[in-house]
Structure formats: C-alpha cells, structure tokens
Amino acid sequence: MECADKDHLQDLPLGVQDFTELRQAGMIYVDKTELIYSLVRAKKGYYRFSRPRRFGKSLLLSTFESLFRFGLRDFKGLAIEKLWDENKTYPVIRLDFSLCNVFSSAQEFAQKFNNILYSAVRKSGLSIPPKEDEGICSTMLGRFQTALEQAEDLQPVLLIDEYDSPLNACLDRPGLLHQVNDILAEFYTVIKVQSAGLRFFFMTGICKYREFKLFSSGTFIEELSMACKYSTLLGFTKDELIHYFAPYIEKAARIRKLSFDECVSEMARNYDGFSFDKKAENHVFVPWSTLNFLKKPKEGFNNYWYESGGQTEVLLKYIQKHALKKPEDYGKDQLVEYDELKASMEFGMPSDLALLTHTGYLTIKSQINDGYAVVNYPNLEVSKSMAKLFAKKFFSQSLSKELLLSFIQDEPPAIVKSLNTLLLSVPYHAHPIDSEAVLRLLIGFTLTAGGFDVNYESVNALGRSDLEFVCG
C-alpha cells in the first residue's frame, strides 16, 4: 500500500475520549457504529460491558451520548447513518464514577457521589426538584428518582462509566467497602424501579463483584462482556488496523526498516491478542499502545500499557494482600472455568485467574469445551507488564536497576554481585527459591521488566541454554 501524502496524515485519536471532539477535528475513527446500532435499535436496552483499561470504554459512552442527544449530527459517512431512523433525541445522564473514587469515609464518598449525580442530571436538561426539609425529596437519591419519574415521557438515557471504580478504591478497607456498596445499592434500586422509563442504559467497568447488589438475581441488566457478537466492539482487529491506519503503518515500517507486513506482524506480537469471546475466534489490538506506537515509531515497540493502564488499582491492592501463584505459572497456558470468568468475584477473595483476565493480563486463547477455556498472556507487551509487576513485588527498584546496568555494561563480576544481592533480597518464607526453574524465572522477570527480550531453554546446534536475552 502507498500513501498519497506521506507528510500530511489524518490525525490519530490518541487520548481523545469525546466522540464529538474526535469527529469535528477530523481524526481517524474506526467505525464501530454498525455494532453500536445493533445495541441501540431496540426501544429498550439495559447492558453491562467490561473491558480492561485503555480499550476506549469512555469513547464508546461518548458515542452513545452523541447519538441519543444529537441524532446523526456527528455520524456523517459512518455505517449507522444509513441505519438509524429515529428523529427523536433524548436527554442523556452520563455519570463517571472515577470522579468519586478518592475518599476517606462513607460520608465523603456520599457527598462526592451526590455532587456528580446532581451535576449529570442538570447537564442532561432534566429538571431536578429542589431539596425539601421533609419527604422523598429530602435526599439526593429521592430527588433523582423524582426527576426520572417526571421525565418518563422523554425516555432518558443513562450511561455509567467505571461503575466499579469506587469499590476498587477501598478494597483494602472492608468496613468502608461495604458502606460504599450499600450507598451504591440504593442508587441502583432507584434505577431498577425506574428502568421502564429509560430508553437505554449502558454501564462499563472492569470487575464484577458478587456482593454488588445490582447483579443479584432478577437483575434487569444484560451482560455483554463475553458476548461473541460484541467481542470486537472495542479494540482494533487486524483488518481495521490495516484499513484505517495504512499510511501510518507505512511510515512506521520505513522508520523501523521493515516491510509493511513485517511491521504489522511486529505490532501484532506486541499489541494484539486480546480475545473477549468464549471461543477465542476474534482478537483485537489494544488501542492505546497501538496508537502510541504509530505516533512515535522512532521510539520502537515500547510498553505503553503498563504505566497508563496496566497498573490497575484493583490488581495492585490484590497483590498487596494476596500471594500470586509462582511466576512460572503465568507464562504458560492455564485452564479456567468459564463460570469463573463470568461469575461475580468476592470482595475479599477474587480468583487470581479471573482478576488477571478482567484486568487484561491474561486473555482467552482457546476453548476446551463448553465449560473450560485456556488463558495466557495476550502479547509481548503484557508479558513484560506482568514481569514488571513481579519485579516490583519481589525486588526493590534500585536492586533491579543495578542488575540491569551491570548486564548493559558487560561487567561479569558486577553481574554476579548484583544477582546475589537481588536474589538474597527475596523473602524465603513467602517466595522460596527452591528450584532452578524458579531461579531462572526470577532473573528472567527482572530482565524482561527492564526491556530485554528473554527466551527460556532455547535449543541450538550447541545444545540448550537455560536463559537467553537481548536488549529490546
């Protein structure tokens, strides 16, 4: 493929979470509106959709918001333009729960939550009753319920982003966690009671907790997170990558001295491989890392996901409280029940495989049968991110840097000294180094986290090496 104008490329949508801004600025938009139409065409729809961070959940909600609030104003030339036949527009209440995920008490959370709820209702154009001294309107939730009741003929749309963010923020404080959950339960009870008056309801997040009362029996929410039909709703397929970003890939290939196909393959090795459907028939590139590489190809195939999305708060809190499996267990295929991936996790004891899959560190690789899936790392970037997590858990940053520097400077005595210092720092009672395999993998994780490409037990004409690495 050749680009007609290699110097003036259409802008990349890197970091843009507002659909209207993206479209008005003429940025590249990977058209997902045919799938979006299949969600919104029914007169009523109530959905939950989870994905790891940096997959574009906020942009998706912004796309829904634009469609319902302004009709086809921002959708010229997109697939939905020929499908959407509603002339009516709707008030849209959009809530971002990440705006109330910093708090030290239930009272502080309630205040912040009430503030964003009030602001969102006002922004939607709906009338919200003034606070009264007595009666149902004396509380913010009561006023919210009244606003929905009075707006039934208008059929409001309700969108919630990062619904699990407040819960993830206090996982390490059980008392506060249950208080926050109770506050949210009252909010969702109002929504459930008023759901018949809503035109559309869509919520996004990462984790699903068993104690979260929204997901109790009889819920009105349809779970879409592992629905095959919507497995590519977020992320870029290989065909989409080539179709929408060919000029950027050509530019990156020239800079990296690769052919077009070689560049795509290397991008796939680093950023592709996420699968969100039961049979693992479809897989996608993570948008954040893909767009960062295309914007800065001179910097190479860097790990962009770890610092911006890979250090998910819920996972970091879990690691602080629980022992993960041995490092080698996460570098190979593992069997997990689908029910474990789909079911709600407990606040205190989430499944490590389910948690790592929800947060993007593991992904479905294949289906064994209707009950079991094989999970593993989706790509090289994520395997390096996992190595960083393990290195952060096992070793201090200064010791890891000392080891990496000694390898880079090619100083054998310094390498031996750094290795001994590093390994002696590992607490034996928690992580016993009781085999050659564990020793090799701990060193390998440290090198991988430092940017080296590491191979274990490589076979060549001279025999088999325990560990090989080259600077990435």
Side-chain angles (χ1 to χ4, degrees):
M1 297 183 180
E2 286 297 327
C3 175
D5 187 349
K6 297 184 176 66
D7 297 320
H8 298 87
L9 303 180
Q10 189 177 2
D11 288 343
L12 295 168
L14 182 61
V16 179
Q17 299 181 340
D18 186 276
F19 180 74
T20 296
E21 176 189 347
L22 184 155
R23 295 292 290 169
Q24 291 182 351
M27 298 178 181
I28 296 173
Y29 174 69
V30 177
D31 190 355
K32 303 285 189 177
T33 60
E34 188 170 352
L35 281 176
I36 287 173
Y37 174 73
S38 69
L39 285 170
V40 300
R41 64 184 177 185
K43 296 305 178 184
K44 300 287 182 180
Y46 315 102
Y47 306 108
R48 174 190 178 274
F49 189 72
S50 67
R51 286 293 183 268
R53 292 191 63 195
R54 293 305 187 183
F55 265 86
K57 298 188 293 294
S58 297
L59 178 60
L60 176 64
L61 289 189
S62 178
T63 308
F64 287 132
E65 180 178 17
S66 174
L67 180 65
F68 284 112
R69 180 170 284 176
F70 305 116
L72 293 173
R73 185 194 71 179
D74 299 323
F75 293 85
K76 186 176 181 180
L78 300 180
I80 200 171
E81 187 180 27
K82 297 179 180 179
L83 301 171
W84 185 251
D85 58 1
E86 293 190 33
N87 295 320
K88 181 180 178 181
T89 57
Y90 304 84
V92 178
I93 303 170
R94 182 176 172 189
L95 299 166
D96 181 355
F97 281 11
S98 69
L99 298 177
C100 57
N101 68 354
V102 178
F103 49 87
S104 58
S105 67
Q107 292 74 20
E108 184 181 0
F109 168 74
Q111 182 62 52
K112 289 187 174 184
F113 178 74
N114 288 339
N115 288 342
I116 68 166
L117 183 57
Y118 177 80
S119 177
V121 174
R122 289 293 301 271
K123 186 178 179 180
S124 74
L126 296 181
S127 298
I128 189 164
K131 183 176 180 180
E132 304 292 345
D133 293 332
E134 297 180 359
I136 190 171
C137 288
S138 63
T139 67
M140 184 59 224
L141 282 180
R143 297 161 69 195
F144 175 59
Q145 182 171 351
T146 301
L148 292 180
E149 288 174 349
Q150 294 175 348
E152 280 189 2
D153 292 342
L154 300 175
Q155 295 183 281
V157 169
L158 180 57
L159 307 173
I160 300 176
D161 201 3
E162 298 200 39
Y163 78 89
D164 55 336
S165 185
L167 301 175
N168 297 339
C170 53
L171 279 179
D172 54 344
R173 294 169 286 176
L176 180 58
L177 175 63
H178 287 282
Q179 287 178 307
V180 170
N181 188 38
D182 288 340
I183 294 171
L184 291 172
E186 294 181 20
F187 168 68
Y188 287 112
T189 297
V190 171
I191 294 176
K192 188 172 183 178
V193 169
Q194 300 300 138
S195 60
L198 298 177
R199 166 63 178 84
F200 185 75
F201 174 85
F202 199 93
M203 63 191 306
T204 69
I206 297 174
C207 296
K208 179 180 176 183
Y209 295 108
R210 184 169 301 150
E211 296 93 336
F212 194 31
K213 296 174 184 178
L214 174 65
F215 302 120
S216 61
S217 60
T219 183
F220 65 104
I221 305 295
E222 181 179 351
E223 176 63 57
L224 296 180
S225 302
M226 292 183 65
C228 293
K229 183 175 181 179
Y230 299 105
S231 62
T232 62
L233 180 60
L234 297 182
F236 307 144
T237 67
K238 181 180 178 181
D239 288 344
E240 289 171 337
L241 178 75
I242 294 172
H243 176 76
Y244 289 96
F245 301 102
Y248 279 96
I249 297 172
E250 290 169 358
K251 179 180 177 181
R254 290 195 302 271
I255 291 172
R256 305 305 307 169
K257 295 181 170 49
L258 299 169
S259 69
F260 185 94
D261 289 342
E262 287 171 339
C263 189
V264 171
S265 295
E266 193 63 20
M267 290 177 68
R269 192 169 79 96
N270 282 273
Y271 309 128
D272 191 15
F274 289 94
S275 182
F276 301 106
D277 64 273
K278 187 173 181 180
K279 295 183 179 180
E281 292 178 339
N282 302 305
H283 52 87
V284 291
F285 291 73
V286 58
W288 176 255
S289 302
T290 302
L291 294 175
N292 266 286
F293 167 74
L294 292 176
K295 183 179 181 179
K296 301 171 284 189
K298 288 183 180 179
E299 297 182 14
F301 297 93
N302 286 343
N303 184 345
Y304 295 104
W305 186 70
Y306 179 74
E307 295 298 335
S308 65
Q311 297 187 73
T312 311
E313 186 172 29
V314 61
L315 182 57
L316 293 178
K317 290 183 181 295
Y318 178 86
I319 290 175
Q320 291 170 4
K321 292 281 187 177
H322 302 82
L324 290 169
K325 291 182 179 179
K326 291 182 180 180
E328 61 266 32
D329 290 337
Y330 293 114
K332 61 186 180 182
D333 289 348
Q334 296 192 83
L335 203 61
V336 60
E337 289 187 62
Y338 279 114
D339 287 344
E340 191 175 334
L341 294 179
K342 293 186 295 184
S344 304
M345 301 185 300
E346 294 182 16
F347 282 152
M349 295 185 297
S351 155
D352 60 337
L353 291 181
L355 180 58
L356 288 167
T357 302
H358 292 162
T359 53
Y361 277 89
L362 299 176
T363 197
I364 299 173
K365 288 293 186 178
S366 62
Q367 180 185 40
I368 297 299
N369 52 43
D370 289 340
Y372 289 87
V374 173
V375 296
N376 204 330
Y377 298 137
N379 54 48
L380 182 59
E381 180 183 45
V382 172
S383 70
K384 289 182 177 180
S385 296
M386 192 65 177
K388 284 180 178 288
L389 275 183
F390 271 112
K392 187 175 182 178
K393 181 178 177 65
F394 292 136
F395 310 124
S396 72
Q397 190 174 18
S398 60
L399 289 177
S400 298
K401 286 184 176 179
E402 182 181 322
L403 174 62
L404 296 172
L405 184 62
S406 64
F407 274 116
I408 292 170
Q409 294 176 343
D410 193 19
E411 298 177 350
I415 292 172
V416 173
K417 179 181 177 181
S418 298
L419 276 173
N420 286 332
T421 303
L422 190 78
L423 296 172
L424 286 171
S425 70
V426 179
Y428 183 85
H429 67 281
H431 308 289
I433 305 175
D434 53 10
S435 70
E436 178 187 339
V438 173
L439 178 65
R440 179 174 62 244
L441 283 159
L442 286 174
I443 296 171
F445 269 114
T446 305
L447 295 172
T448 301
F452 293 95
D453 286 335
V454 177
N455 294 308
Y456 301 97
E457 297 186 346
S458 298
V459 179
N460 55 47
L462 300 177
R464 181 169 62 184
S465 61
D466 287 329
L467 185 148
E468 295 179 0
F469 61 93
V470 293
C471 188

